[in-house]
Amino acid sequence: MYFLSQIKPDDVGLIRILQTETPSSFRLICFPESAHSTAYYLSLSELLLPTVEVLAIQYPLYAGYEEGDDDRLTDSPELADRIFGALGEWMDRPFAFFGHRVGADLAYRVAERLERETGAALMTLFVSGRTAHWGMSLGPPALGCRIVALAAEGDPKTPLRGVRAWRRRTSGRFDLEVFPGSRGYLDSSRREVVNLVHDQLLSQVPVDAEWETGAEDKGA
């Protein structure tokens, strides 16, 4: 089940996906493709190790963010600001972002602001089913964290050339994972996606790392 903490229709908040009572070592903060698609991350969390706590961003449901207007999510600096403000209390352990389709654009914008204003770097920014399509800025890449791009081999709306352009968004490592089929790989290749998340997070853990997994549990 998942738990939604008193989020009003015009609010931005985080849905905490409840998996087990085992304290987590990592947080995977998910940026869905729309305000109506957060439930997918319940099935994703059921396959992840209990050391990975899954949170999903709940977008506002007021006019302008209704179904069919999802691309407008990425055109709102205010929305990125509100998500940035909502994340503060959840940054007490290593974390990664997972953005799907338009959610990938938002995840990138929030990650950029996190690094610029707080110096906090993600473990990994996962960008799924999205090309790096907006205008390139001059100068060095905005991010220093690892970016992992996911794409379908036969998706006509997400050509691999555009997906590879994400490598220019970071000075860190870039990986591209291509799945068979068109646009449904988050369902048809769900276990492979989960394995990819595990591999990417665990590969960045120092051998002698010891995080406080017994920290006070955060209620939503």
Side-chain angles (χ1 to χ4, degrees):
M1 63 180 297
Y2 57 89
F3 185 76
L4 179 58
S5 172
Q6 298 180 346
I7 297 176
K8 299 177 182 178
D10 60 347
D11 282 347
V12 170
L14 278 77
I15 296 176
R16 189 179 193 188
I17 309 296
L18 298 181
Q19 184 176 343
T20 71
E21 295 183 357
T22 304
S24 63
S25 298
F26 312 99
R27 286 200 171 104
L28 182 67
I29 300 174
C30 301
F31 292 68
E33 64 176 303
S34 76
H36 305 274
S37 59
T38 54
Y40 165 80
Y41 297 97
L42 172 61
S43 58
L44 182 69
S45 70
E46 290 173 343
L47 296 177
L48 285 165
L49 293 172
T51 53
V52 182
E53 180 181 23
V54 179
L55 303 171
I57 302 294
Q58 175 63 62
Y59 304 133
L61 299 177
Y62 54 76
Y65 298 114
E66 296 176 352
E67 191 169 10
D69 289 331
D70 298 325
D71 278 328
R72 296 177 64 181
L73 290 170
T74 63
D75 296 329
S76 173
E78 179 206 4
L79 180 57
D81 290 345
R82 293 172 67 184
I83 294 172
F84 173 78
L87 290 176
E89 65 175 311
W90 300 100
M91 294 169 55
D92 61 339
R93 65 196 67 182
F95 60 97
F97 286 173
F98 188 105
H100 185 52
R101 296 183 185 164
V102 297
D105 295 347
L106 270 174
Y108 172 82
R109 292 179 185 274
V110 177
E112 182 182 22
R113 182 167 175 184
L114 274 171
E115 287 199 11
R116 183 177 69 248
E117 297 191 14
T118 72
L122 309 179
M123 296 183 71
T124 302
L125 170 61
F126 296 94
V127 288
S128 171
R130 195 68 166 176
T131 59
H133 64 282
W134 61 90
M136 289 292 295
S137 59
L138 298 177
L143 295 182
C145 68
R146 178 181 299 186
I147 292 181
V148 177
L150 296 76
E153 183 177 20
D155 185 353
K157 294 186 177 181
T158 312
L160 294 181
R161 180 179 179 181
V163 177
R164 291 189 183 98
W166 283 105
R167 73 167 65 248
R168 298 195 294 271
R169 305 297 186 185
T170 182
S171 59
R173 175 171 168 172
F174 173 80
D175 293 319
L176 172 62
E177 189 75 19
V178 180
F179 297 91
S182 55
R183 292 173 64 86
Y185 60 86
L186 286 189
D187 289 316
S188 61
S189 300
R190 185 174 301 162
R191 289 190 179 275
E192 289 80 1
V193 171
V194 166
N195 289 339
L196 175 65
V197 171
H198 284 152
D199 290 347
Q200 290 289 338
L201 296 183
L202 294 177
S203 70
Q204 298 179 68
V205 178
V207 175
D208 59 349
E210 293 184 2
W211 287 306
E212 296 182 4
T213 58
E216 181 180 354
D217 196 36
K218 289 189 177 294

